[in-house]
Amino acid sequence: MRRLRLPRTALVTAGTVLLASAAAAVAMPAGAAAAGCSVNYAVASQWQGGFGANVTITNLGDPVSGWTLTWSYGAGQTVTQAWSATVTQSGANVTARNVDYNAAIPTNGTASFGFNGSWTSSNPAPTSFALNGVTCTGGTTPTTSPTSSPTPTPTPTSSPSTPPPNGPADITVNTATKYQTVDGFGAAVSIWGGAWSTAETQTLVGLGPNQLGLSIVRTGLSPVSSEWGTQVSALKTAKSYGSNVKIMASPWTAPAAWKTNNSRTNGGKLRTDYYDDYANHLNSYVQYMRNQGVTIDVTSVQNEPDWHPDYDSMDWSGTELQTFVREQGAKVQNTKLMVAEAVNLNYSYTDPTLNDAAARNNIGYIGGHLYGTEASGRLKPYPLAQQYNKPVWMTEWNLHEADGSGSNIWGNPSNATVWNETLDDIMRTVHKSMESNWSAYVWWYGKRYYSFIGDGEAAYGTTAGAPLKRGYAFSQYAKYVRPGYQRIGLTKSSKASPLEVTAYQGDGKVTLVILNRSTSAVNNAVIQAPQNVSKAEYVATSQNASAASQPAGVNGNQVSVNVGARSISTVVLTL
């Protein structure tokens, strides 16, 4: 781990898929609405227990610094998630107001937004609306508003009852174009502290509701064998409770007596006369864990051989790593070795091993950390690793600039600064890693106030073991792009150009992960699959939604979805 402050990309502030749980007080500009305003409230799709609606306001009036539309529901409907507006509800009363990216009042005097909702026995459209406190007298146009429950569709959670018409595709999946096989997405247990509890481990690796679906768990390989048992319980739980979870072990240092500086810290090289002892040390750890019922799938030779801090660390050159794995690597049994977890995937630490056939045959993976990798121009495919069929894993990154000097913001799931960093930095680099043909992305600690589940540290406001917004966002990859899936090709229309999309195939499914970091929604985005779709599942995370199920219309081999602004979402197509 490195405690670095890195330059950040510019952030865009405003979320788009916005929902609050209670009505908010809104300042009404005096005389800001024309009484002749009119509203078109259209239930665009409806399924058992849920519906999607679009609302258009015309004749807004001018000048207006902002708009607020209010109405009441007469049949107990509840708004669950909205886009292009902030929608709040208190009892039957609903309030929708513009957000800053949606502009104060468009020049054409028209504004529109949409939302999803739930209903029970009936779903009549409201007939009376007020704009900025003034009743609209220009008429309302409710459409597609049945007064009683329609016949449920066969797949009510994913297929609205009115499928979209066939039309031009915005995202076309090409299963004939194949890229890397995915090994997984994960995080590290505490390297020097306590272990995850059973419940925490289940939250992190499980595939159920409010679980995050991690498929890689990274653990430290202590130079002191008496410390090896600390993580056994958590690792066993990860293996047994999760699905196809891989365990990766990383050593920070060899025992002090084997090093040139006779210390665990401040770097120092492994003495060449202890190379065989170090290989036996790594092997002993793997076999110890195996005897505890934990398979160590991947064993790194060294964490950050190019970083020499005042905590556990050890210095290697690329040729020293080459020599070690060539001459000693075969001694480490029942696991696959990795080199070299350099700080910024510095090729000089891995090229020598890849270019040596004997050394290359003793490793299974190439590893690297994301610190400085993008700035160094290496957040891209690694041709030499691909040439020799060695999967590339990104095995550590830690970024939490959002807290500045340390403010209590992490426990607030809708904090804009936290969400912007999560979407624009972390999730963007996951996307870029996948586009770079890397096979795994492993975050730093899975349990920390700035990570996937809270640690309960009072200063930062999180609850120990509770999923955090960053965890829900990461789960959009981890939970749905499973080990063994293969990334496949796609093309996009100009309409979909703001979207950053990767697609994967596995288990009879095509899975797409979609980042929309723009400040505008892309509504009715049509995804075209290579064959007919029997079921579509659509889940989204945004500033004010956490892995929330969304409607997806299915029509043959096409699926339509509304992609909220400033969001990350996953579409799973069962073929």
Side-chain angles (χ1 to χ4, degrees), residues 470-531:
R470 189 160 289 183
Y472 284 116
F474 195 77
S475 76
Q476 299 282 166
Y477 283 97
K479 196 170 183 178
Y480 302 100
V481 182
R482 301 304 299 167
Y485 284 22
Q486 188 167 23
R487 188 168 73 88
I488 53 178
L490 59 86
T491 57
K492 298 186 298 183
S493 70
S494 58
K495 175 181 173 180
S497 60
L499 308 179
E500 298 166 286
V501 189
T502 50
Y504 310 83
Q505 186 175 33
D507 292 335
K509 301 173 182 177
V510 166
T511 300
L512 299 94
V513 184
I514 304 172
L515 277 71
N516 185 6
R517 296 190 297 117
S518 77
T519 55
S520 298
V522 178
N523 290 325
N524 194 33
V526 177
I527 301 167
Q528 185 159 310
Q531 61 193 75

Side-chain angles (χ1 to χ4, degrees), residues 40-47 50-54 73 77 115 119 122-126 140-148 150 160-163:
N40 181 287
Y41 177 105
V43 177
S45 58
Q46 184 165 287
W47 56 100
F51 69 99
N54 295 316
Y73 278 128
Q77 302 99 315
F115 60 87
W119 62 284
S122 63
N123 186 24
T140 62
T141 313
T143 61
T144 320
S145 51
T147 58
S148 60
S161 58
T162 304

Side-chain angles (χ1 to χ4, degrees), residues 185 187-189 196-207 210-215 217 241 445-447 451-453 465 467 471 475 478:
F185 303 87
V189 297
W196 299 337
S197 70
T198 296
E200 289 166 347
T201 306
Q202 291 176 340
T203 296
L204 286 161
V205 305
L207 297 175
N210 295 313
Q211 296 179 333
L212 306 181
L214 302 188
S215 51
V217 175
Y241 189 82
Y445 282 177
K447 178 187 176 182
S451 289
F452 299 160
I453 62 173
S475 76

